[in-house]
Each structure stands twice: as C-alpha cells, then as structure tokens.
Amino acid sequence: MTLSGRSLHPGQADGVVLALDEPLSFWGGVDARGVIVDAHHPQRGATVAGQVLAMQAGRGSSSSTAVLAELIRSGHAPAALLLAECDAILVIGALVAAEIYDTSLPIVQLTHDDLARLHTGSQAAVLAHTAPRPATVIAKIR
C-alpha cells in the first residue's frame, strides 16, 4: 500500500508501525528510553523508540519540543512520525535536532483515513522530501 502525504520535516526511515489509539505528549508521557509512561495512555509500556509512530496528533505541552529533540539525540526517538494533524511542537523538535545534532526525523501528515489504514506491527518505509514535494509512505498490508 502506497500513501502520499504532506512532508512536515524531511527524512527517510523504515520500521515497524506503532499505531496509537490516542494522542501522546512527549513531555511526561514518554521516558528517556522512549517508553510510554503516561499512566492514562492505552499503550502505556509500549516503546516508541525506532518505531514508525502513527497517531492522530500530539498532545500538548511546548516542552515536548525539547523532549523529542533529546530522544532524537539519544537514539530513543521514533524512526518516523505519521500524523493526521500537523503538530508544530513536534516539527520544531525535529528541526532543532536536525540543526544541533545533524540528524533527521521524518514527519509526515496523512489524511485521517490513510492514517487509519496503518496497523501496529506492519512494516513501513517513509520518505519525506523537503516541502512542497509530497511524502511517500509504503506499508505492507498484513
């Protein structure tokens, strides 16, 4: 299955999809190893590190920018972020990490319907170009 989306931050990655049931705040919701620690999140205990993280949107706190940048620096960030709603806070975290650490976290905005087609455990390859070129997500259907 090939999906086309809006490139929010350029990069290339592949990995296993982790499709979240609810939005996630990186500040207080994810620990330094990339494990979801938010006591109220349905996927508490799952790791985002190295995953193609698919979620409708981020959940607040401007501090998520710094947390995401640090996860990228330490190697515990998702391999890619796939969102249905543009989240400037997460994009800024990726921009900061790219500038300071010379590393890239692809972030792609998909339609709500396309995001819903991605399932936890499936493989996905993400190629996010520099805007305005569209991004491509290739996922294996189970």
Side-chain angles (χ1 to χ4, degrees):
M1 161 176 65
T2 301
L3 307 173
S4 183
R6 177 179 168 211
S7 293
L8 299 177
H9 190 264
Q12 183 174 334
D14 57 81
V16 176
V17 173
L18 174 60
L20 298 184
D21 297 334
E22 293 183 9
L24 177 68
S25 173
F26 281 84
W27 182 77
V30 177
D31 73 9
R33 297 166 299 144
V35 176
I36 298 173
V37 294
D38 180 341
H40 303 289
H41 198 279
Q43 277 114 340
R44 181 178 188 213
T47 184
V48 302
Q51 307 289 315
V52 175
L53 186 61
M55 60 182 180
Q56 291 296 318
R59 193 184 78 221
S61 184
S62 58
S63 298
S64 288
T65 294
V67 174
L68 181 59
E70 177 58 21
L71 287 171
I72 293 168
R73 185 205 61 79
S74 69
H76 293 97
L81 287 175
L82 306 177
L83 306 168
E85 299 172 20
C86 179
D87 188 320
I89 290 170
L90 297 178
V91 173
I92 291 169
L95 286 166
V96 167
E99 184 67 26
I100 296 174
Y101 308 124
D102 195 31
T103 185
S104 186
L105 172 72
I107 304 178
V108 175
Q109 182 179 8
L110 297 171
T111 66
H112 288 272
D113 289 341
D114 280 349
L115 193 72
R117 297 171 68 190
L118 299 169
H119 301 284
T120 296
S122 58
Q123 287 287 133
V126 179
L127 177 58
H129 298 283
T130 303
R133 290 179 58 200
T136 304
V137 177
I138 300 171
K140 292 186 179 180
I141 300 173
R142 296 187 282 162

